[in-house]
Amino acid sequence: MDTYKKIIEDIYLDVKEIEDTGKVANYIPELSLVDPTNFGINITTVKNENFGIGNSDTKFSIQSICKTLSLTLAYKLEGEKLWDRVDVEPSGNPFNSLLQLEADCGKPRNPFINAGAIVVADVLISHLKNPMEDFLNFCRETSNIPDLNYSEKVAESEKNTGYRNVALCNFIKSFGNIKNEVDEVLDFYFHICSIKMTCKELSNTFMYLVKDNFKTQTGKEVLNASQTKRINAIMLTCGFYDESGEFAFRVGLAGKSGVGGGIIAIHPDEYCIAVWSPKLNKKGNSYKGMCFLEHFTTKTASSIF
Ligand code: GLN
């Protein structure tokens, strides 16, 4: 941990000073209220060591990072049948694109673009008795944060302006790949995206994707080895939308971003690291978050490749 700690401190100071060419997401009005200078990092290792720096204990909107948790639960409940409803191919298109759905007859390319995460939300509704409550309980158990909650403000803000997601959900339903009511699916999807966590909470929570761990913070197995491999594979190939190749190329870890400016990245043998900086590059991924992780895996020589 000492090596990681020193390297994180050095890169933090360097990256903090670089000019940030990114922009805070404002298509969800509530997200634009964040202080753009926030910058936090937290790492959790297989030895259960933790180190954080900067705003690593400030809660922020994790947005699409939560798609990893909804996918995990849907995979547990639906098993391999899930892949009949959503594919596992990188889309090469923006996260909110409608483009490929027509040609693909309403089957989203992967579970991390919005189209795919909306289908995953629909799958969860079909399985869960009280979807909102049951999913939140799964997140609470996995993270070991008993008071983890949805942000009604963020969910409401997205509901008021989420025109593309409304279009996506209706379009997919027209192909028969949404089984429940569009309003219910979207409301659930917006709530999933509204969860707030800190970098420290994120890096602890996603340790279930690190080998030899596979467990929630309270010791329960989340996914088996094969399922864990698959989730990590989808994160590597699709976790950054049309910048997934770039992330693999520059960073070399499985990862997932969110438009709140957070990124989680997994080294399946060693650690989970979470970074937060709200300004996003043109592909909707944290500008400084990507820079930090690129330097981190370069200096520690600890990518998966
Ligand atoms: N809730 C956001 C949306 O649907 C999630 C997008 C993201 O984080 N990339 O637009």
Side-chain angles (χ1 to χ4, degrees), residues 27-28 63-64 67 95 114 158 165 189 193 241 257-260 284:
Y27 74 99
I28 302 173
Q63 290 292 322
S64 288
K67 291 174 182 171
F95 66 87
N114 288 8
E158 183 161 10
N165 289 323
Y189 170 77
C193 293
Y241 321 110
S257 63
V259 288

Side-chain angles (χ1 to χ4, degrees), residues 38-44 50-63 65 69 143 145 147-149 194-206 261-264 272-277:
N38 276 297
F39 186 32
I41 296 132
N42 201 89
I43 188 168
T44 309
N50 248 284
F51 174 69
I53 193 164
N55 306 103
S56 58
D57 281 317
T58 309
K59 290 216 189 242
F60 62 94
S61 188
I62 70 168
Q63 290 292 322
I65 296 176
L69 285 164
S143 63
I145 307 169
D147 61 353
L148 190 75
N149 225 326
S194 80
I195 286 181
K196 287 189 170 180
M197 287 170 89
T198 70
C199 287
K200 187 173 182 184
E201 290 169 343
L202 283 169
S203 71
N204 281 324
T205 300
F206 288 95
I263 297 179
I264 52 157
C272 174
I273 187 162
V275 186
W276 174 46
S277 167

Side-chain angles (χ1 to χ4, degrees), residues 246-253 265 289-290 293-294 297-298 303-304:
E246 180 88 7
F247 188 81
F249 181 74
R250 283 170 52 189
V251 179
L253 296 172
M290 296 261 299
L293 289 168
E294 178 176 9
T297 53
T298 306
S303 85
I304 55 182

Side-chain angles (χ1 to χ4, degrees), residues 82-87 97-110 113-120 122-123 167-179:
L82 182 61
W83 316 122
D84 297 339
R85 303 271 308 271
V86 55
D87 216 332
S97 174
L98 288 110
L99 209 63
Q100 292 158 331
L101 276 173
E102 174 107 58
D104 294 344
C105 300
K107 180 173 178 177
R109 290 276 166 113
N110 68 67
I113 49 173
N114 288 8
I118 289 170
V119 169
V120 167
D122 182 61
V123 168
L168 280 167
C169 194
N170 279 287
F171 198 36
I172 302 169
K173 182 139 179 115
S174 77
F175 289 101
N177 198 16
I178 291 287
K179 312 291 179 195

